[in-house]
Amino acid sequence: MKRSSDILNGAEWANVRALYKSSGFTDDELKNPIIAVVNAYNQVCPGHVVLKQLTQRVKEGIYAAGGTPVEIGTIGACDGVAMSHKGMQYILPTREMIADDIEAMAEAHRLDGLVILGSCDKIVPGMILGALRVNLPTVFVNGGPTLPGRMKEGNPYGGEYIDHSIIQQSEGALKSGAITKEEFDWIENNAVPTIGSCAMLGTANTMCCLAEVMGISLPGSAAIPAVYSRRQSIAFESGKAVMNLVKNNICIKDIVTKDAILNAIKVNSAIGGSTNAVLHLLAIAYEAGVDLDIFEFGKVSMSVPHMVPMIPAGQYTLLDFYEAGGIPVMMKELASILMLDGITCTGHTSKENIDEFKNKNTDVIRGLSNPVHKRGGIAVLKGNIAPDGAVTKPSAIPEKALLFRGPAKIYESEQDALIGIRAKQVHEGEVVVIRNEGPKGGPGMPEMYKVMKVLVGMNLGSKVCVITDGRFSGSNNGCFVGHICPEALDDGPIAYLQDGDVITVDVLNGIIEADVDFSKRRKEVVRKEVEQVKGCLYQYRKNVTTASKGAYIATRTEI
């Protein structure tokens, strides 16, 4: 029986029917399953501008398959706009706000199914978390990546294509004299030629790809460019697909199982996906009731080689990946190590979904016998600096920087670090430590994206190592380690590092250590009071879990 029938049938619920009718719904429409079409459209986030059109096509698909769609809005903040200023504190917390929106609207109105539409970084996992909380038949539709910019001949970066991430890198190049102001302005005006999520494999496209791997979006849909007509037809087909799930009572927790999440970890490693996938997949596992910890994540990830040389870990873009066959082809190449018998939003198994796809470019999507790197895409490190774990991206680290040892250069915040780097205070061989930027300390665990981009642009990306209790963008490359746990605000060892302490980062052996007796150091150092915050950031700091668990806010009693 439909959930919506609980409040739409019988004389006692005439008031609810009257409210729907006041919006123009008919008696016949109210007899159908009521499907929420959750739309994060806004005009700030370029990855979401297309969602208005896609929402209409989804609703048409729902109607065509015998359902009644009701559109619901939610927020969708843009990481790129919020980057490197106080606005970034709000980005990760919006993931929980979006989940709250979906839970509240679906439960308050006893809705029967969900189609969730988003594209960008924390919005996609936020929507998945909300859908898992209510556990309804669910299909995810992403807006698609932008087309990449085409670089001019003789550019200093190499490669044919560019994307948004090169702009910050160019700032460092401009300051060091590697490019002119005219060249810098040309990059700004040509790096992002269309709407869509950023063209490289940042967190946005990573999470859209992993949603497809887990089976909650239609096969082959994750990498379709935002401006392609196929994106519109996928939206229509997704509306029809959710009605099939409702008919067969297939809910999102039937799809997002431990096997599905482990598949996502493996594919993330193979494609060289974002380090933020660690936060999001751990949080998704929590809401799905799946037992998964950060060290299992690291072990699984490092068992799969990096197989797609996509920006920032190679020269190819999402367009190249799409044209080569996208996620279904990647899954076919990994078929021997994936669990493909789980049900998906098509009503079929993953194995059935990918059967017809063929690899159209083996330079873009490699096989297990011919990887880009033998090492995995994501590594989890451990040591006396990070006893509860830390995260890095071996696929984006130059070979010579996989083992890095040097003296610490301490900064108490991202802004302090940017000031110091721009003033040329950071020198080759140093380990830049940026602390007080964790989920509680930031609060909101800001990305140290700009720090790394400026260093890369100054030709220091592989010559210094950046470590932090904050996080990094999926578009970062160079030598970096984030998610250091416990964070400084939780009295983690990173809080007690001092200038000159010798730090070793051994990526391939999973070690991050300092030549420091932290038990002795704790007795010697008096820490500063933490800066107070208010509003939703106060609530977030008060309630958020550690990054090693996924930086979620608990939604049930944990025993």
Side-chain angles (χ1 to χ4, degrees), residues 186-256:
W186 186 92
I187 290 168
E188 175 185 334
N189 293 326
N190 291 274
V192 192
T194 74
I195 58 172
S197 50
C198 298
M200 79 296 190
L201 193 60
T203 306
N205 291 316
T206 294
M207 291 311 300
C208 293
C209 287
L210 300 189
E212 184 180 326
V213 174
M214 289 187 288
I216 55 177
S217 56
L218 296 187
S221 64
I224 302 169
V227 294
Y228 278 22
S229 57
R230 178 65 179 142
R231 175 66 50 201
Q232 301 292 323
S233 58
I234 279 287
F236 181 84
E237 291 166 12
S238 296
K240 292 176 65 178
V242 77
M243 294 308 300
N244 183 57
L245 296 180
V246 170
K247 177 182 175 182
N248 292 287
N249 195 30
I250 298 171
C251 296
I252 190 170
K253 285 188 179 180
D254 299 319
I255 296 170
V256 181

Side-chain angles (χ1 to χ4, degrees), residues 379-386 390-394 397-408 429-433 464-468 472 478-482 484 497 501-515:
V380 174
L381 312 185
K382 188 176 183 179
N384 68 348
I385 294 177
V391 176
T392 189
K393 187 174 181 178
I397 298 177
E399 295 283 340
K400 63 183 180 181
L402 290 167
L403 175 60
F404 199 103
R405 183 174 169 85
E430 291 181 325
V431 178
V432 177
V433 179
V464 302
C465 182
V466 179
I467 72 170
T468 180
F472 291 94
C479 184
F480 60 89
V481 180
I484 287 177
L497 287 170
D501 288 341
V502 177
I503 294 171
T504 300
V505 175
D506 186 344
V507 173
L508 296 185
N509 288 305
I511 297 168
I512 181 166
E513 289 272 352
D515 296 349

Side-chain angles (χ1 to χ4, degrees), residues 9 44 123 171 184 212 239 249 260 291 298 321 342 496 504 534-535:
N9 288 354
V44 175
I123 301 151
E171 180 197 331
F184 180 80
E212 184 180 326
N249 195 30
D291 184 24
F321 184 62
Y496 297 94
T504 300
K534 60 185 179 180

Side-chain angles (χ1 to χ4, degrees), residues 95-255:
R95 186 186 72 178
E96 318 310 309
M97 297 177 197
I98 292 165
D100 290 346
D101 279 356
I102 291 173
E103 177 190 1
M105 291 298 285
E107 296 292 28
H109 304 108
R110 302 299 292 161
L111 302 172
D112 298 307
L114 301 169
V115 179
I116 48 180
L117 293 98
S119 275
C120 293
D121 300 57
K122 312 310 166 288
I123 301 151
V124 174
M127 290 183 151
I128 295 171
L129 294 178
L132 285 165
R133 289 186 196 173
V134 297
N135 194 28
L136 296 174
T138 301
V139 178
F140 168 65
V141 180
N142 68 299
T146 178
L147 293 177
R150 189 178 289 273
M151 199 58 176
K152 292 194 300 186
E153 253 184 74
N155 77 84
Y157 298 105
E160 181 180 1
Y161 292 121
I162 56 172
D163 72 294
H164 174 263
S165 68
I166 203 171
I167 298 172
Q168 297 297 341
Q169 184 174 323
S170 300
E171 180 197 331
L174 177 66
K175 291 188 184 314
S176 67
I179 62 172
T180 66
K181 179 65 164 58
E182 183 183 12
E183 288 171 322
F184 180 80
D185 290 344
W186 186 92
I187 290 168
E188 175 185 334
N189 293 326
N190 291 274
V192 192
T194 74
I195 58 172
S197 50
C198 298
M200 79 296 190
L201 193 60
T203 306
N205 291 316
T206 294
M207 291 311 300
C208 293
C209 287
L210 300 189
E212 184 180 326
V213 174
M214 289 187 288
I216 55 177
S217 56
L218 296 187
S221 64
I224 302 169
V227 294
Y228 278 22
S229 57
R230 178 65 179 142
R231 175 66 50 201
Q232 301 292 323
S233 58
I234 279 287
F236 181 84
E237 291 166 12
S238 296
K240 292 176 65 178
V242 77
M243 294 308 300
N244 183 57
L245 296 180
V246 170
K247 177 182 175 182
N248 292 287
N249 195 30
I250 298 171
C251 296
I252 190 170
K253 285 188 179 180
D254 299 319
I255 296 170

Side-chain angles (χ1 to χ4, degrees), residues 289-344:
V290 167
D291 184 24
L292 177 71
D293 69 33
I294 192 170
F295 296 109
E296 182 179 5
F297 191 115
K299 183 178 179 181
V300 171
S301 179
M302 286 299 278
S303 71
V304 182
H306 173 219
M307 296 162 61
V308 181
M310 200 162 11
I311 297 172
Q315 72 271 36
Y316 293 114
T317 67
L318 260 289
L319 177 61
D320 299 306
F321 184 62
Y322 167 66
E323 290 176 343
I327 285 298
V329 167
M330 186 76 265
M331 293 178 74
K332 284 188 86 168
E333 295 291 355
L334 293 172
S336 63
I337 61 170
L338 299 181
M339 288 72 74
L340 299 176
D341 293 329
I343 197 72
T344 71

